[in-house]
PDB file of all heavy atoms in Angstrom:
ATOM      1  N   THR J 257     -28.375  19.848  30.901  1.00  0.00           N
ATOM      2  CA  THR J 257     -28.413  20.922  29.891  1.00  0.00           C
ATOM      3  C   THR J 257     -29.239  22.108  30.373  1.00  0.00           C
ATOM      4  O   THR J 257     -28.843  23.252  30.184  1.00  0.00           O
ATOM      5  CB  THR J 257     -29.027  20.435  28.563  1.00  0.00           C
ATOM      6  OG1 THR J 257     -30.132  19.607  28.850  1.00  0.00           O
ATOM      7  CG2 THR J 257     -28.038  19.700  27.735  1.00  0.00           C
ATOM      8  N   VAL J 258     -30.369  21.803  30.985  1.00  0.00           N
ATOM      9  CA  VAL J 258     -31.225  22.896  31.444  1.00  0.00           C
ATOM     10  C   VAL J 258     -30.475  23.777  32.440  1.00  0.00           C
ATOM     11  O   VAL J 258     -30.488  25.005  32.357  1.00  0.00           O
ATOM     12  CB  VAL J 258     -32.523  22.321  32.052  1.00  0.00           C
ATOM     13  CG1 VAL J 258     -33.252  23.369  32.867  1.00  0.00           C
ATOM     14  CG2 VAL J 258     -33.425  21.798  30.950  1.00  0.00           C
ATOM     15  N   THR J 259     -29.756  23.126  33.364  1.00  0.00           N
ATOM     16  CA  THR J 259     -29.018  23.898  34.364  1.00  0.00           C
ATOM     17  C   THR J 259     -27.914  24.730  33.725  1.00  0.00           C
ATOM     18  O   THR J 259     -27.662  25.879  34.110  1.00  0.00           O
ATOM     19  CB  THR J 259     -28.391  22.943  35.399  1.00  0.00           C
ATOM     20  OG1 THR J 259     -29.384  22.021  35.798  1.00  0.00           O
ATOM     21  CG2 THR J 259     -27.871  23.705  36.590  1.00  0.00           C
ATOM     22  N   LEU J 260     -27.264  24.134  32.730  1.00  0.00           N
ATOM     23  CA  LEU J 260     -26.155  24.853  32.099  1.00  0.00           C
ATOM     24  C   LEU J 260     -26.659  26.025  31.267  1.00  0.00           C
ATOM     25  O   LEU J 260     -26.078  27.107  31.277  1.00  0.00           O
ATOM     26  CB  LEU J 260     -25.358  23.905  31.205  1.00  0.00           C
ATOM     27  CG  LEU J 260     -24.252  23.126  31.885  1.00  0.00           C
ATOM     28  CD1 LEU J 260     -23.593  22.200  30.877  1.00  0.00           C
ATOM     29  CD2 LEU J 260     -23.212  24.060  32.486  1.00  0.00           C
ATOM     30  N   LEU J 261     -27.747  25.801  30.556  1.00  0.00           N
ATOM     31  CA  LEU J 261     -28.196  26.828  29.611  1.00  0.00           C
ATOM     32  C   LEU J 261     -29.136  27.839  30.254  1.00  0.00           C
ATOM     33  O   LEU J 261     -29.369  28.899  29.691  1.00  0.00           O
ATOM     34  CB  LEU J 261     -28.875  26.161  28.410  1.00  0.00           C
ATOM     35  CG  LEU J 261     -27.933  25.362  27.515  1.00  0.00           C
ATOM     36  CD1 LEU J 261     -28.691  24.721  26.365  1.00  0.00           C
ATOM     37  CD2 LEU J 261     -26.804  26.228  26.975  1.00  0.00           C
ATOM     38  N   MET J 262     -29.678  27.518  31.415  1.00  0.00           N
ATOM     39  CA  MET J 262     -30.538  28.487  32.106  1.00  0.00           C
ATOM     40  C   MET J 262     -29.954  28.743  33.485  1.00  0.00           C
ATOM     41  O   MET J 262     -30.242  28.018  34.439  1.00  0.00           O
ATOM     42  CB  MET J 262     -31.956  27.935  32.230  1.00  0.00           C
ATOM     43  CG  MET J 262     -32.575  27.672  30.880  1.00  0.00           C
ATOM     44  SD  MET J 262     -34.216  27.015  31.078  1.00  0.00           S
ATOM     45  CE  MET J 262     -34.653  26.732  29.383  1.00  0.00           C
ATOM     46  N   PRO J 263     -29.155  29.784  33.597  1.00  0.00           N
ATOM     47  CA  PRO J 263     -28.432  30.034  34.850  1.00  0.00           C
ATOM     48  C   PRO J 263     -29.377  30.275  36.026  1.00  0.00           C
ATOM     49  O   PRO J 263     -28.959  30.177  37.180  1.00  0.00           O
ATOM     50  CB  PRO J 263     -27.621  31.297  34.554  1.00  0.00           C
ATOM     51  CG  PRO J 263     -27.571  31.382  33.071  1.00  0.00           C
ATOM     52  CD  PRO J 263     -28.830  30.770  32.560  1.00  0.00           C
ATOM     53  N   SER J 264     -30.662  30.546  35.766  1.00  0.00           N
ATOM     54  CA  SER J 264     -31.565  30.817  36.881  1.00  0.00           C
ATOM     55  C   SER J 264     -32.006  29.548  37.594  1.00  0.00           C
ATOM     56  O   SER J 264     -32.582  29.607  38.671  1.00  0.00           O
ATOM     57  CB  SER J 264     -32.797  31.567  36.374  1.00  0.00           C
ATOM     58  OG  SER J 264     -33.453  30.754  35.435  1.00  0.00           O
ATOM     59  N   VAL J 265     -31.739  28.384  36.993  1.00  0.00           N
ATOM     60  CA  VAL J 265     -32.122  27.129  37.650  1.00  0.00           C
ATOM     61  C   VAL J 265     -31.228  26.946  38.874  1.00  0.00           C
ATOM     62  O   VAL J 265     -30.006  26.889  38.761  1.00  0.00           O
ATOM     63  CB  VAL J 265     -31.975  25.937  36.678  1.00  0.00           C
ATOM     64  CG1 VAL J 265     -32.225  24.636  37.414  1.00  0.00           C
ATOM     65  CG2 VAL J 265     -32.932  26.079  35.519  1.00  0.00           C
ATOM     66  N   ARG J 266     -31.855  26.879  40.048  1.00  0.00           N
ATOM     67  CA  ARG J 266     -31.068  26.845  41.286  1.00  0.00           C
ATOM     68  C   ARG J 266     -31.048  25.456  41.889  1.00  0.00           C
ATOM     69  O   ARG J 266     -30.232  25.151  42.738  1.00  0.00           O
ATOM     70  CB  ARG J 266     -31.648  27.802  42.317  1.00  0.00           C
ATOM     71  CG  ARG J 266     -32.003  29.117  41.748  1.00  0.00           C
ATOM     72  CD  ARG J 266     -32.312  30.077  42.857  1.00  0.00           C
ATOM     73  NE  ARG J 266     -31.405  31.177  42.782  1.00  0.00           N
ATOM     74  CZ  ARG J 266     -30.626  31.583  43.771  1.00  0.00           C
ATOM     75  NH1 ARG J 266     -30.640  30.957  44.906  1.00  0.00           N
ATOM     76  NH2 ARG J 266     -29.829  32.608  43.603  1.00  0.00           N
ATOM     77  N   SER J 267     -32.015  24.649  41.505  1.00  0.00           N
ATOM     78  CA  SER J 267     -32.068  23.321  42.104  1.00  0.00           C
ATOM     79  C   SER J 267     -32.754  22.382  41.135  1.00  0.00           C
ATOM     80  O   SER J 267     -33.649  22.795  40.396  1.00  0.00           O
ATOM     81  CB  SER J 267     -32.848  23.372  43.413  1.00  0.00           C
ATOM     82  OG  SER J 267     -33.198  22.056  43.789  1.00  0.00           O
ATOM     83  N   LEU J 268     -32.311  21.124  41.170  1.00  0.00           N
ATOM     84  CA  LEU J 268     -32.965  20.144  40.314  1.00  0.00           C
ATOM     85  C   LEU J 268     -33.927  19.290  41.117  1.00  0.00           C
ATOM     86  O   LEU J 268     -34.563  18.397  40.605  1.00  0.00           O
ATOM     87  CB  LEU J 268     -31.912  19.273  39.634  1.00  0.00           C
ATOM     88  CG  LEU J 268     -31.095  20.048  38.612  1.00  0.00           C
ATOM     89  CD1 LEU J 268     -29.869  19.277  38.222  1.00  0.00           C
ATOM     90  CD2 LEU J 268     -31.933  20.387  37.399  1.00  0.00           C
ATOM     91  N   GLY J 269     -34.006  19.582  42.434  1.00  0.00           N
ATOM     92  CA  GLY J 269     -34.921  18.819  43.269  1.00  0.00           C
ATOM     93  C   GLY J 269     -36.016  19.734  43.787  1.00  0.00           C
ATOM     94  O   GLY J 269     -36.432  20.681  43.115  1.00  0.00           O
ATOM     95  N   ILE J 270     -36.425  19.458  45.000  1.00  0.00           N
ATOM     96  CA  ILE J 270     -37.500  20.249  45.578  1.00  0.00           C
ATOM     97  C   ILE J 270     -36.880  21.270  46.523  1.00  0.00           C
ATOM     98  O   ILE J 270     -35.934  20.968  47.244  1.00  0.00           O
ATOM     99  CB  ILE J 270     -38.450  19.344  46.360  1.00  0.00           C
ATOM    100  CG1 ILE J 270     -38.982  18.266  45.417  1.00  0.00           C
ATOM    101  CG2 ILE J 270     -39.581  20.117  46.988  1.00  0.00           C
ATOM    102  CD1 ILE J 270     -39.332  17.035  46.146  1.00  0.00           C
ATOM    103  N   LEU J 271     -37.413  22.469  46.485  1.00  0.00           N
ATOM    104  CA  LEU J 271     -36.968  23.475  47.441  1.00  0.00           C
ATOM    105  C   LEU J 271     -38.132  23.770  48.371  1.00  0.00           C
ATOM    106  O   LEU J 271     -39.264  23.950  47.931  1.00  0.00           O
ATOM    107  CB  LEU J 271     -36.554  24.758  46.710  1.00  0.00           C
ATOM    108  CG  LEU J 271     -35.237  24.692  45.953  1.00  0.00           C
ATOM    109  CD1 LEU J 271     -34.973  26.007  45.266  1.00  0.00           C
ATOM    110  CD2 LEU J 271     -34.094  24.350  46.885  1.00  0.00           C
ATOM    111  N   THR J 272     -37.842  23.798  49.652  1.00  0.00           N
ATOM    112  CA  THR J 272     -38.912  24.160  50.588  1.00  0.00           C
ATOM    113  C   THR J 272     -38.987  25.676  50.693  1.00  0.00           C
ATOM    114  O   THR J 272     -38.085  26.382  50.226  1.00  0.00           O
ATOM    115  CB  THR J 272     -38.626  23.577  51.980  1.00  0.00           C
ATOM    116  OG1 THR J 272     -37.366  24.084  52.397  1.00  0.00           O
ATOM    117  CG2 THR J 272     -38.588  22.068  51.944  1.00  0.00           C
ATOM    118  N   MET J 273     -40.050  26.150  51.299  1.00  0.00           N
ATOM    119  CA  MET J 273     -40.219  27.602  51.441  1.00  0.00           C
ATOM    120  C   MET J 273     -39.078  28.218  52.236  1.00  0.00           C
ATOM    121  O   MET J 273     -38.604  29.304  51.924  1.00  0.00           O
ATOM    122  CB  MET J 273     -41.566  27.908  52.125  1.00  0.00           C
ATOM    123  CG  MET J 273     -42.761  27.907  51.193  1.00  0.00           C
ATOM    124  SD  MET J 273     -42.496  28.808  49.675  1.00  0.00           S
ATOM    125  CE  MET J 273     -42.663  30.487  50.307  1.00  0.00           C
ATOM    126  N   GLU J 274     -38.609  27.467  53.270  1.00  0.00           N
ATOM    127  CA  GLU J 274     -37.508  28.025  54.082  1.00  0.00           C
ATOM    128  C   GLU J 274     -36.264  28.238  53.243  1.00  0.00           C
ATOM    129  O   GLU J 274     -35.521  29.180  53.429  1.00  0.00           O
ATOM    130  CB  GLU J 274     -37.162  27.081  55.244  1.00  0.00           C
ATOM    131  CG  GLU J 274     -38.214  26.942  56.322  1.00  0.00           C
ATOM    132  CD  GLU J 274     -39.128  25.779  56.054  1.00  0.00           C
ATOM    133  OE1 GLU J 274     -38.634  24.660  55.847  1.00  0.00           O
ATOM    134  OE2 GLU J 274     -40.363  26.006  56.004  1.00  0.00           O
ATOM    135  N   GLN J 275     -36.063  27.292  52.296  1.00  0.00           N
ATOM    136  CA  GLN J 275     -34.824  27.363  51.508  1.00  0.00           C
ATOM    137  C   GLN J 275     -34.836  28.545  50.548  1.00  0.00           C
ATOM    138  O   GLN J 275     -33.822  29.177  50.328  1.00  0.00           O
ATOM    139  CB  GLN J 275     -34.614  26.058  50.731  1.00  0.00           C
ATOM    140  CG  GLN J 275     -34.042  24.957  51.621  1.00  0.00           C
ATOM    141  CD  GLN J 275     -34.074  23.617  50.913  1.00  0.00           C
ATOM    142  OE1 GLN J 275     -35.103  23.229  50.384  1.00  0.00           O
ATOM    143  NE2 GLN J 275     -32.949  22.941  50.916  1.00  0.00           N
ATOM    144  N   VAL J 276     -36.008  28.813  49.960  1.00  0.00           N
ATOM    145  CA  VAL J 276     -36.034  29.923  48.993  1.00  0.00           C
ATOM    146  C   VAL J 276     -36.329  31.261  49.677  1.00  0.00           C
ATOM    147  O   VAL J 276     -36.204  32.304  49.039  1.00  0.00           O
ATOM    148  CB  VAL J 276     -37.089  29.707  47.892  1.00  0.00           C
ATOM    149  CG1 VAL J 276     -36.533  28.835  46.814  1.00  0.00           C
ATOM    150  CG2 VAL J 276     -38.371  29.170  48.438  1.00  0.00           C
ATOM    151  N   TYR J 277     -36.658  31.219  50.957  1.00  0.00           N
ATOM    152  CA  TYR J 277     -37.013  32.456  51.638  1.00  0.00           C
ATOM    153  C   TYR J 277     -35.825  33.413  51.606  1.00  0.00           C
ATOM    154  O   TYR J 277     -34.715  33.073  52.014  1.00  0.00           O
ATOM    155  CB  TYR J 277     -37.424  32.178  53.085  1.00  0.00           C
ATOM    156  CG  TYR J 277     -37.797  33.415  53.836  1.00  0.00           C
ATOM    157  CD1 TYR J 277     -39.020  34.052  53.549  1.00  0.00           C
ATOM    158  CD2 TYR J 277     -36.963  33.973  54.795  1.00  0.00           C
ATOM    159  CE1 TYR J 277     -39.380  35.189  54.214  1.00  0.00           C
ATOM    160  CE2 TYR J 277     -37.313  35.125  55.457  1.00  0.00           C
ATOM    161  CZ  TYR J 277     -38.539  35.738  55.167  1.00  0.00           C
ATOM    162  OH  TYR J 277     -38.890  36.882  55.821  1.00  0.00           O
ATOM    163  N   GLY J 278     -36.081  34.580  51.128  1.00  0.00           N
ATOM    164  CA  GLY J 278     -35.045  35.591  51.104  1.00  0.00           C
ATOM    165  C   GLY J 278     -34.083  35.459  49.946  1.00  0.00           C
ATOM    166  O   GLY J 278     -33.182  36.281  49.786  1.00  0.00           O
ATOM    167  N   ALA J 279     -34.246  34.424  49.090  1.00  0.00           N
ATOM    168  CA  ALA J 279     -33.351  34.274  47.948  1.00  0.00           C
ATOM    169  C   ALA J 279     -33.732  35.275  46.861  1.00  0.00           C
ATOM    170  O   ALA J 279     -34.915  35.509  46.610  1.00  0.00           O
ATOM    171  CB  ALA J 279     -33.433  32.864  47.399  1.00  0.00           C
ATOM    172  N   ILE J 280     -32.751  35.883  46.279  1.00  0.00           N
ATOM    173  CA  ILE J 280     -33.019  36.816  45.199  1.00  0.00           C
ATOM    174  C   ILE J 280     -33.078  36.011  43.911  1.00  0.00           C
ATOM    175  O   ILE J 280     -32.193  35.167  43.676  1.00  0.00           O
ATOM    176  CB  ILE J 280     -31.907  37.880  45.097  1.00  0.00           C
ATOM    177  CG1 ILE J 280     -31.673  38.492  46.472  1.00  0.00           C
ATOM    178  CG2 ILE J 280     -32.235  38.930  44.058  1.00  0.00           C
ATOM    179  CD1 ILE J 280     -30.295  39.092  46.629  1.00  0.00           C
ATOM    180  N   PRO J 281     -34.088  36.166  43.076  1.00  0.00           N
ATOM    181  CA  PRO J 281     -34.157  35.379  41.835  1.00  0.00           C
ATOM    182  C   PRO J 281     -33.078  35.802  40.857  1.00  0.00           C
ATOM    183  O   PRO J 281     -33.358  36.386  39.801  1.00  0.00           O
ATOM    184  CB  PRO J 281     -35.560  35.652  41.319  1.00  0.00           C
ATOM    185  CG  PRO J 281     -35.942  36.949  41.922  1.00  0.00           C
ATOM    186  CD  PRO J 281     -35.247  37.060  43.236  1.00  0.00           C
ATOM    187  N   ALA J 282     -31.821  35.512  41.189  1.00  0.00           N
ATOM    188  CA  ALA J 282     -30.703  35.900  40.339  1.00  0.00           C
ATOM    189  C   ALA J 282     -30.065  34.645  39.761  1.00  0.00           C
ATOM    190  O   ALA J 282     -30.180  33.568  40.352  1.00  0.00           O
ATOM    191  CB  ALA J 282     -29.672  36.661  41.164  1.00  0.00           C
ATOM    192  N   PRO J 283     -29.419  34.760  38.620  1.00  0.00           N
ATOM    193  CA  PRO J 283     -28.764  33.585  38.038  1.00  0.00           C
ATOM    194  C   PRO J 283     -27.582  33.114  38.862  1.00  0.00           C
ATOM    195  O   PRO J 283     -26.961  33.892  39.590  1.00  0.00           O
ATOM    196  CB  PRO J 283     -28.308  34.091  36.664  1.00  0.00           C
ATOM    197  CG  PRO J 283     -28.245  35.563  36.794  1.00  0.00           C
ATOM    198  CD  PRO J 283     -29.286  35.969  37.793  1.00  0.00           C
TER     199      PRO J 283
END
Side-chain angles (χ1 to χ4, degrees):
Chain J
T257 41
V258 165
T259 313
L260 273 178
L261 292 179
M262 299 179 183
S264 61
V265 174
R266 315 191 120 235
S267 164
L268 291 166
I270 303 152
L271 287 179
T272 58
M273 277 314 283
E274 292 93 53
Q275 281 170 310
V276 277
Y277 180 73
I280 309 156

